[in-house]
Amino acid sequence: SLITSCKSIFDICNPRENWKHKDAAIYLVTSLASKAQTQKHGITQANELVNLTEFFVNHILPDLKSPNVNEFPVLKADAIKYVMIFRSQLPKEQLLQAVPLLITHLQAESTVEHTYAAHALERLFTMRGPNNATLITAAEMAPFTEQLLNNLFKALAFPGSAENEYIMKAIMRSFSLLQESIVPYIPTLIGQLTHKLLQVSKNPSKPHFNHYLFESLCLSVRITCKANPTTVSSFEEALFPVFTEILQNDVQEFLPYVFQVMSLLLEIHSNSIPASYMALFPHLLQPVLWERTGNIPPLVRLLQAYLEKGGETIARSAADKIPGLLGVFQKLIASKANDHQGFYLLNSIIEHMPPESLTQYRKQIFILLFQRLQSSKTTKFIKSFLVFVNLYCVKYGAIALQEIFDSIQPKMFGMVLEKIVIPEVQKVSGPVEKKICAVGITKVLTECPAMMDTEYTKLWTPLLQALIGLFELPEDDSIPDDEHFIDIEDTPGYQTAFSQLAFAGKKEHDPIGDAVGNPKILLAQSLHKLSTACPGRVPSMLSTSLNAEALQFLQGYLQAATVQLV
């Protein structure tokens, strides 16, 4: 058979003279054995006529084990490629046998060979075993960790591989697999990474390489600071000089990455903001930075980190920058594509800035929002607006919310409830967003006297009905036909795209936190408190106009909270 013929070619091959025949034969066997293939898993279905394991042991392993990595580079590349494409078909013990050999081949002078070796290792490290854990564990890599890290960084020194994206991706994947095992090597690794960053920032030309370089930096920070948060300052010492140079030279491709890494570093700090960050704060508000769409998501996140860690500091020592901060918000909410980012920033301002620092600006914030509602009312904007209004209510109280609306225009509070909150709250999505709206509406229902004894009283039951709907009905995710294309805005000329760093991910933040565990229980307790303050009123309002199904749900909340209405 053809397979037997191929094997006999191997057996008689004198590699020095006939390596080309062996190369052709491996190619033939590989092609014959492959039935189905994916980028993620390599060959997923193999031809039963080829015993892949036996072939690996007899004809591939000898080439990988050959002591001279620079001899017969084509056959070495064939062998590495075989491991890479048949990784899902070979038993784990053979893959573990191959790992140290692949690490050795990172030292090969041939660009193809060390690139293949890096790519093969990266693919092996992503393979999943039982329980969705990585197939190869950090413990199994322990004997080779130092050599792996050394050889990967040495490979970047080969001519033509200074910005080899496969090597940098393998560095990133190695950090991700090894986790805290890399901590002892971090001082050396971070020096090598920052040196490389300084070099490539002079003329960024390989976007994938640069992306994996920043991912590797994020992993270094995350892994080390998880074990010991105080080490964040040593990362800042290493990275800030390079970051400063990138910012001063306006290296546009790198700015979104720098802002993400800075956010990650700042978020690790306990509740204080170092002077080095405060010195940079005014520069982050410069309009030119906000003209580039790729900068907007990471810059908003960075400003949110500033507010979270240093709202008090900004109010005390940079109060003159608050108008600049609100100017950024104003620019963002004017854009249909970026209005949600404007709300992220505004919500952080409301949550973290001392109330007195915003007194003079609050009314103008609401006026800007109403102007946008009048000129362009989209579903996305309304969802964000509802979350903001309710967060404001949670932070400042229901009376303050009612008063600020009515100070803009008499009876405005009732109009907002009737035209926006009651009909649209069902569209709010996300557990944190729904919780904010639930707690805010509960406060309006139970802590706002105007809801009980003015013309707003007629809205009390419909608002309660809308809140029970938010708890119990499926989310309304319908979008009007004329809104399907609003995210595509005309951006003049070339714009650097925003590339999210996977390993700079931000934890979802809940501004209410543990203060409210279950908003349904809070509603029951708050209604009970209200009913004791004005006996008879609440049950009569419920019995006259709340529908039967909603009333039944409400009875369930009252029972769960072990309270009743009087």
Side-chain angles (χ1 to χ4, degrees):
S1 75
L2 188 54
I3 301 295
T4 318
S5 310
C6 282
K7 287 185 176 176
S8 61
I9 292 174
F10 292 133
D11 297 334
I12 59 166
C13 261
N14 174 343
R16 200 164 296 285
E17 294 164 19
N18 298 329
W19 64 266
K20 286 182 185 173
H21 299 309
K22 184 170 182 180
D23 172 47
I26 293 175
Y27 176 76
L28 197 56
V29 169
T30 304
S31 304
L32 286 166
S34 314
K35 282 177 78 177
Q37 184 171 6
T38 67
Q39 185 74 34
K40 189 174 179 183
H41 301 290
I43 303 294
T44 52
Q45 274 182 291
N47 192 321
E48 298 82 53
L49 294 172
V50 184
N51 184 329
L52 293 169
T53 307
E54 187 186 308
F55 192 87
F56 172 77
V57 172
N58 294 336
H59 304 293
I60 299 298
L61 208 50
D63 283 332
L64 289 176
K65 283 183 167 174
S66 154
N68 183 353
V69 291
N70 294 315
E71 193 178 34
F72 310 123
V74 173
L75 293 181
K76 298 280 200 304
D78 285 340
I80 297 167
K81 189 177 177 186
Y82 183 93
V83 175
M84 184 166 57
I85 66 170
F86 290 115
R87 62 187 181 276
S88 297
Q89 305 294 319
L90 293 170
K92 180 178 172 178
E93 56 271 22
Q94 294 193 334
L95 297 178
L96 284 173
Q97 212 179 348
V99 164
L101 304 173
L102 293 170
I103 292 171
T104 306
H105 282 80
L106 290 167
Q107 297 176 294
E109 289 164 13
S110 154
T111 305
V112 171
E113 200 179 324
H114 62 243
T115 301
Y116 272 26
H119 187 43
L121 285 164
E122 189 271 327
R123 293 288 81 196
L124 292 183
F125 293 165
T126 59
M127 291 178 73
R128 297 278 156 187
N131 308 325
N132 205 32
T134 53
L135 181 69
I136 295 170
T137 65
E140 287 164 334
M141 287 301 299
F144 321 118
T145 296
E146 189 166 344
Q147 194 194 357
L148 170 68
L149 297 171
N150 276 339
N151 287 5
L152 281 167
F153 278 94
K154 278 185 192 164
L156 289 173
F158 283 118
S161 279
E163 294 179 43
N164 185 319
E165 66 186 66
Y166 293 98
I167 298 171
M168 191 48 78
K169 192 175 187 183
I171 290 171
M172 172 193 80
R173 200 68 71 192
S174 301
F175 285 10
S176 178
L177 174 72
L178 295 167
Q179 290 294 318
E180 57 273 12
S181 309
I182 67 167
V183 171
Y185 308 102
I186 281 292
T188 311
L189 297 172
I190 206 72
Q192 291 171 304
L193 290 169
T194 46
H195 178 66
K196 181 56 74 178
L197 178 58
L198 196 58
Q199 287 177 319
V200 297
S201 68
K202 304 277 189 279
N203 180 24
S205 56
K206 296 280 181 71
H208 288 110
F209 178 88
N210 299 334
H211 188 91
Y212 300 135
L213 171 55
F214 278 101
E215 291 281 22
S216 302
L217 285 169
C218 290
L219 275 164
S220 310
V221 171
R222 263 191 192 287
I223 292 164
T224 314
C225 295
K226 185 181 172 187
N228 180 4
T230 56
T231 54
V232 68
S233 56
S234 56
F235 282 102
E236 287 162 350
E237 281 169 31
L239 290 168
F240 269 35
V242 193
F243 286 178
T244 306
E245 196 159 320
I246 289 168
L247 291 166
Q248 284 173 344
N249 296 330
D250 193 26
V251 185
Q252 293 188 25
E253 296 91 332
F254 282 5
L255 293 184
Y257 290 127
V258 167
F259 297 143
Q260 286 177 82
V261 180
M262 285 183 66
S263 301
L264 181 64
L265 292 165
L266 185 49
E267 285 158 7
I268 290 165
H269 280 273
S270 53
N271 292 322
S272 64
I273 195 158
S276 53
Y277 286 89
M278 282 310 294
L280 189 65
F281 183 62
H283 303 287
L284 301 178
L285 303 175
Q286 290 174 352
V288 65
L289 284 178
W290 295 90
E291 294 299 328
R292 300 177 200 146
T293 50
N295 286 348
I296 289 172
L299 261 180
V300 166
R301 176 183 170 189
L302 182 54
L303 289 182
Q304 284 183 289
Y306 269 88
L307 289 159
E308 185 190 336
K309 301 297 177 185
E312 300 270 348
T313 311
I314 292 168
R316 194 173 57 248
S317 63
D320 58 326
K321 298 295 176 284
I322 295 174
L325 201 55
L326 292 168
V328 170
F329 149 73
Q330 184 175 356
K331 177 180 169 56
L332 292 173
I333 61 145
S335 152
K336 288 179 187 173
N338 296 314
D339 49 18
H340 61 293
Q341 297 284 350
F343 277 108
Y344 293 160
L345 184 58
L346 180 59
N347 291 347
S348 290
I349 291 170
I350 293 299
E351 185 186 350
H352 298 295
M353 293 289 285
E356 63 281 2
S357 67
L358 299 173
T359 308
Q360 59 183 308
Y361 307 110
R362 271 185 240 163
K363 189 170 175 180
Q364 188 56 36
I365 289 170
F366 278 87
I367 290 169
L368 285 170
L369 294 174
F370 282 122
Q371 286 170 345
R372 167 63 209 272
L373 271 172
Q374 285 174 324
S375 66
S376 173
K377 185 173 125 180
T378 64
T379 304
K380 178 160 77 98
F381 186 86
I382 285 171
K383 284 163 69 170
S384 298
F385 177 77
L386 284 168
V387 173
F388 161 70
V389 165
N390 284 296
L391 181 66
Y392 188 93
C393 182
V394 171
K395 176 79 178 177
Y396 291 114
I399 296 173
L401 182 69
Q402 178 246 316
E403 286 176 347
I404 198 161
F405 277 134
D406 287 347
S407 72
I408 294 168
Q409 187 183 317
K411 302 184 184 172
M412 172 78 90
F413 182 59
M415 284 189 276
V416 171
L417 290 180
E418 189 177 2
K419 299 280 192 291
I420 299 175
V421 180
I422 293 168
E424 304 283 8
V425 75
Q426 204 59 45
K427 290 191 167 138
V428 172
S429 53
V432 172
E433 290 82 355
K434 286 183 173 181
K435 183 178 179 184
I436 292 167
C437 288
V439 176
I441 292 171
T442 298
K443 282 180 169 289
V444 170
L445 287 166
T446 61
E447 296 176 17
C448 180
M451 289 298 288
M452 296 302 283
D453 48 22
T454 68
E455 69 271 31
Y456 295 154
T457 309
K458 67 179 187 293
L459 298 170
W460 192 89
T461 316
L463 184 61
L464 177 61
Q465 178 100 28
L467 175 54
I468 295 169
L470 180 67
F471 287 142
E472 305 298 345
L473 294 174
E475 181 189 315
D476 174 7
D477 55 5
S478 60
I479 293 178
D481 290 342
D482 59 346
E483 281 183 34
H484 281 294
F485 300 104
I486 62 164
D487 279 354
I488 304 160
E489 288 199 356
D490 296 326
T491 42
Y494 167 74
Q495 293 274 338
T496 306
F498 167 58
S499 296
Q500 173 72 54
L501 290 168
F503 293 110
K506 184 185 180 187
K507 291 201 296 283
E508 184 166 43
H509 171 63
D510 178 358
I512 296 169
D514 298 332
V516 176
N518 183 342
K520 295 177 184 179
I521 302 292
L522 176 75
L523 173 63
Q525 291 167 337
S526 303
L527 286 172
H528 166 70
K529 193 173 168 187
L530 176 69
S531 75
T532 53
C534 41
R537 286 285 306 278
V538 176
S540 77
M541 287 198 291
L542 294 178
S543 61
T544 52
S545 46
L546 193 69
N547 80 27
E549 198 179 2
L551 195 55
Q552 201 174 349
F553 281 123
L554 185 59
Q555 294 297 348
Y557 309 159
L558 293 163
Q559 281 172 352
T562 60
V563 294
Q564 51 193 5
L565 304 177
V566 293

